[in-house]
Amino acid sequence: MDIGSKIRAIRNRKKITIAQMCEGTGLSKGFISNVENNNTSPSIQTLQTISNFLRVPLPYLLLEKEQHMRVVRKAERSFSTHNNLKIEHVTSKGGLRMMLVEFPPGASMGEANAHEGEECHLVLEGKVLAEQGEDSMILEEGDSFSWNASVPHFVKNIGDEKAVVLISVYSDTGLHDVF
């Protein structure tokens, strides 16, 4: 773990000197230097003291680089199509995927399908029919719905204009074949 470099970067970004950090934490200059250079492994209690002084949550100091915030700029998003739907892959993290799906008038996701995981939907534009098992609901802009994806489900644009739905899909095993 590269905790020391992270502590140094936070300290420098906040324009805190090592002397100020020593005064605020009660730790010696040599010890802080050794921590920042990854020459010593501080205890959890010492890391808590440092995180309190730097005003960052302790768990943030313990994150590996690949666990940090991931940013996908709008221009960097990938797109795909499925059944005349335009799918914009917004972001993903572990087993969680987020997509913007554009349904032209009359378009649907195809036959009702089922897969592992959970889904949450937010209708951003238009009017859709959402069906799962025996449940059927008409939803419009601002409405949201969610379901266990292991039960066959179906979404169709029933309006005269395009419908846009923000869909988040979660699965422990990760999904690559939903869209």
Side-chain angles (χ1 to χ4, degrees):
M1 295 184 87
D2 192 11
I3 296 171
S5 297
K6 190 180 297 184
I7 291 170
R8 182 187 306 109
I10 294 167
R11 181 178 60 75
N12 287 335
R13 187 175 60 247
K14 293 186 175 204
K15 298 182 181 356
I16 297 170
T17 66
I18 287 183
Q20 290 169 322
M21 192 159 163
C22 291
E23 187 177 318
T25 63
L27 302 170
S28 73
K29 185 176 180 178
F31 182 78
I32 291 173
S33 178
N34 279 330
V35 168
E36 288 188 354
N37 290 311
N38 292 310
N39 293 328
T40 190
S41 296
S43 69
I44 295 294
Q45 183 175 354
T46 300
L47 284 175
Q48 184 67 64
T49 299
I50 292 170
S51 72
N52 288 345
F53 176 76
L54 293 174
R55 293 195 171 116
V56 296
L58 174 61
Y60 180 77
L61 295 179
L62 302 175
L63 289 177
E64 296 288 349
K65 184 78 170 163
E66 63 275 1
Q67 295 174 311
H68 281 239
M69 179 171 53
R70 178 175 176 252
V71 174
V72 178
R73 301 284 182 195
K74 185 175 182 176
E76 298 168 349
R77 293 182 191 154
S78 63
F79 294 85
S80 62
T81 58
H82 173 79
N83 274 12
N84 204 26
L85 306 179
K86 178 181 172 188
I87 299 122
E88 184 175 352
H89 302 276
V90 177
T91 193
S92 63
K93 179 77 172 155
L96 179 63
R97 289 183 34 214
M98 187 179 288
M99 301 162 282
L100 275 173
V101 181
E102 188 175 301
F103 294 76
S108 73
M109 56 185 277
E111 296 294 317
N113 73 347
H115 55 83
E116 182 183 326
E118 305 284 334
E119 292 186 11
C120 294
H121 305 74
L122 173 61
V123 180
L124 299 174
E125 294 178 39
K127 185 178 190 178
V128 298
L129 170 68
E131 295 181 341
Q132 182 195 35
E134 296 301 311
D135 296 332
S136 180
M137 189 66 59
I138 294 174
L139 301 125
E140 299 183 71
E141 181 178 326
D143 294 339
S144 61
F145 58 102
S146 57
W147 49 44
N148 182 314
S150 65
V151 175
H153 52 277
F154 173 82
V155 178
K156 179 179 182 175
N157 180 352
I158 59 170
D160 297 329
E161 305 290 325
K162 77 176 178 182
V164 178
V165 181
L166 178 65
I167 303 175
S168 294
V169 181
Y170 177 78
S171 171
D172 289 334
T173 60
L175 297 168
H176 303 288
D177 60 347
V178 174
F179 283 118

